[in-house]
Structures are given as structure tokens and as C-alpha cells.
Amino acid sequence: PELAARADEWRQRLLAEIDALPERRRLPVKLAIQGFTADEIARLLGISVASAQQLSYRGIEELKERLRARGGE
């Protein structure tokens, strides 16, 4: 039960930090986390592959920083 509670707490923190990302990076990060490729993200969002890669990368890096700052490492 304690492990499940911790996992749920971690999941809630992760979702909150994803939702706190700048709007432009939020959806590419959500898609990347779900396993979409940069090509797929680009097609879905109507942006270039390079933009999809950059937005996903920067968003994930920002997400890591936010989680570290909250003691999530």
C-alpha cells in the first residue's frame, strides 16, 4: 500500500509539472512521453520535424529541471 501511494504521489507530481510547462512545449512532451516519434509529432501538430524535436527535447529538459527542483530525482 505504501509503495502504491508513493507511485500515485509521483504520478500526480509528474502530471502537475507537465501541465505547468509552457503551452508550446506541453503537447510535444506529452506525445513524446507516450512514444510518438518526432515525425509523428510534427505531422500531428503541423510543424516541422526539427521543431518537433526541439520542442520535445527542451520541454523534457525543463521537466527534468522542475522535478529535480522539487526533489524528484
Side-chain angles (χ1 to χ4, degrees), residues 11-57:
R11 188 174 16 264
Q12 293 304 318
R13 186 178 352 176
L14 178 61
L15 293 174
E17 291 300 339
I18 290 171
D19 286 341
L21 289 171
E23 186 175 339
R24 182 164 166 82
R25 293 182 185 156
R26 189 177 315 127
L27 188 53
V29 167
K30 285 182 177 183
L31 293 170
I33 288 173
Q34 292 178 50
F36 285 83
T37 66
D39 289 337
E40 292 168 327
I41 294 169
R43 271 198 309 275
L44 287 168
L45 301 182
I47 58 178
S48 71
V49 174
S51 290
Q53 290 171 326
Q54 184 178 46
L55 290 169
S56 298
Y57 176 79

